[in-house]
Structure formats: C-alpha cells, structure tokens
Amino acid sequence: MSGQLENRTLTAEWLRQNHELYTAATNHSFIKSIRDGTIDVNNFKHWMEQDYHFVRELVRFVASVLQKVPRNAPEHDLDVILGGLTALESEITWFRKEANFWQIFLERVTLLQPNKDYCEFLKELEREDTPYAAAVTAFWLIELVYCASFMSCLEEDAKTPYELVSTVKRWGSPEFHQYTLSLKKLADKALENASDAEQKQAQKIFVRILELELKFWDMAGFVLG
Ligand SMILES: Cc1ncc(CN)c(N)n1
C-alpha cells in the first residue's frame, strides 16, 4: 500500500484523532527517563515486575485473537499472529532472565490497580463477542505503544544506560517495528471488512487501550511518587 493510501486507513485516522493521547502514551516521563539516562533503577524494576504479569495475561488474549482469525484468511494472517505469540514466549523468557539479573522475585509481586484494570480489560477482549477486527486492532495498538515508546530510546542522541539497552531493543528494534506494521495491515484489512457497529466497537477499544497504556506507565513511575 502506498504511503498516501496508508494514511487513509481507519487505524491511521484514529491515530490522528487521538494524537494527544497517543503522544502521552508513547512519550511518557518513564520512557523519557530511560532515554535521558536519569531513570531510577527502582522504577525500572517496578515496571518490570508489573509488566511480566501483564504479558502473561497478554498471551491469553493473543491466543484468543489467533482463534478468531477467519478460516478463509490467507495463511500469512494466521502466521503473523502465531509469530506474535512466539514473540511473547520469548518476552516471558527474557523477563525471567532479566529478573534474575536485577534480583527481582517475580512470583512475589502484588498486582497494582492499573495493571489489574488492564488485565481485566484484556479478559473482556478475549470474549467471543469481541469481533476479530476489534481484537486484532487492539493487539496491534498494544504492541505499537511499546514499539514507539522504546524506539525513542535508541535514537542517536539518546543516553539510554547500557544495562537497559537489551530492554529497549526488545521493543524498539527495526524488527519489532516491522512486526507492528504487519499487525497494522491485518487490523486495517479486518476493519475494512467489518460492519459499522464492529468498527465503532474497535474505535472505542482503541481509545481505551491508549488510556490503559498511559496509566500503566504512570504506575511504573509510582516508586518515586
Ligand atoms: C503494558 C504493555 N503493553 C505492551 C507490551 C508489549 N508486549 C507490554 N509488554 N506491556
């Protein structure tokens, strides 16, 4: 799809309409503190503890997206979602390894309210009454927020601390960006084929995800108060 046509997709339109919220979710002070090297290590550990448990719930949600891929969709579509699940498996393994390094005890973590709210929302999305178009759009956006956020920490003038480079590369790498573009294509195609009611449902979910991502970052900065 050419750049111009791509701008006319529903996902591009919703990103434009929610520009302020999207920018708040992808330029959060938590991310900025990684980017400028001022991050408090306790905040980083705090985020990691919470995110590990979020990702475990995300796996269940993505499994539900996989189930909703239409049987008549090209093989590639199923492969992209399956690749997403595989990426989450490696994300979980990575969290466990990093937790070891940072001396974090993942099994002792108490989930905080913003994380609980987000996980509850994912459970709602897992239900059968969330159509594929809305579910795959949600999945794309969840991955995009992390990609756009962490990409900024790899820019030339970024002062990301050495110990955090593997973290920011996980979501900010060109490969991860490419993967979010593949998800975006699936979302746009599904939305094109969706009914008006389904599109409206997807649009509401889109906004809710941005709000929840923003609150998740706020929670990550909680330790410093
Ligand atoms: C809250 C959140 N959003 C997105 C991602 C990227 N999988 C994540 N790990 N955590």
Side-chain angles (χ1 to χ4, degrees):
M1 199 184 289
S2 80
Q4 225 174 12
L5 282 179
E6 193 151 323
N7 282 338
R8 284 199 224 130
T9 61
L10 274 182
T11 54
E13 194 180 317
W14 295 345
L15 282 175
R16 269 196 302 277
Q17 282 169 2
N18 296 282
H19 178 71
E20 225 170 279
L21 186 54
Y22 176 75
T23 306
T26 54
N27 281 286
H28 194 272
S29 53
F30 175 78
I31 288 292
K32 283 192 201 150
S33 72
I34 296 180
R35 192 188 189 285
D36 66 19
T38 61
I39 183 147
D40 182 300
V41 76
N42 290 319
N43 278 1
F44 179 76
K45 286 160 86 169
H46 186 239
W47 160 78
M48 183 169 273
E49 288 173 356
Q50 295 292 323
D51 207 41
Y52 169 72
H53 290 278
F54 172 81
V55 170
R56 294 189 66 78
E57 193 56 52
L58 187 60
V59 168
R60 292 179 187 277
F61 164 63
V62 177
S64 80
V65 182
L66 190 74
Q67 279 202 316
K68 287 174 186 167
V69 176
R71 295 220 177 257
N72 61 356
E75 279 186 13
H76 167 264
D77 296 10
L78 193 78
D79 292 350
V80 172
I81 309 292
L82 190 57
L85 263 183
T86 312
L88 288 178
E89 192 207 1
S90 112
E91 213 165 293
I92 285 178
T93 308
W94 174 85
F95 268 110
R96 291 204 188 109
K97 221 175 92 209
E98 284 291 303
N100 241 351
F101 174 80
W102 294 102
Q103 300 201 305
I104 295 170
F105 300 98
L106 291 170
E107 64 286 359
R108 286 194 210 154
V109 173
T110 307
L111 286 207
L112 294 179
Q113 199 56 46
N115 199 1
K116 282 189 195 163
D117 292 345
Y118 205 166
C119 290
E120 276 310 308
F121 188 63
L122 288 182
K123 282 186 201 151
E124 281 177 37
L125 296 183
E126 284 162 29
R127 291 193 322 227
E128 270 179 34
D129 59 355
T130 303
Y132 171 63
V136 73
T137 302
F139 182 31
W140 157 68
L141 188 58
I142 291 169
E143 298 293 46
L144 175 66
V145 169
Y146 261 44
C147 180
S149 299
F150 283 107
M151 260 167 79
S152 72
C153 301
L154 288 172
E155 285 163 358
E156 228 169 271
D157 61 336
K159 299 188 182 75
T160 299
Y162 173 74
E163 300 87 332
L164 305 192
V165 168
S166 85
T167 305
V168 304
K169 278 193 175 160
R170 172 148 286 281
W171 294 282
S173 68
E175 293 77 21
F176 197 83
H177 181 232
Q178 212 41 53
Y179 155 65
T180 65
L181 291 178
S182 302
L183 285 177
K184 183 183 185 307
K185 279 194 188 138
L186 292 196
D188 281 325
K189 190 167 62 160
L191 288 167
E192 261 175 43
N193 296 324
S195 66
D196 285 358
E198 287 174 344
Q199 287 182 359
K200 283 210 177 86
Q201 190 179 355
Q203 192 174 10
K204 266 177 79 177
I205 289 169
F206 179 100
V207 175
R208 184 81 185 114
I209 298 243
L210 288 181
E211 289 168 351
L212 287 162
E213 286 286 340
L214 180 56
K215 287 195 175 132
F216 202 92
W217 290 134
D218 287 346
M219 173 191 67
F222 176 80
V223 174
L224 275 186

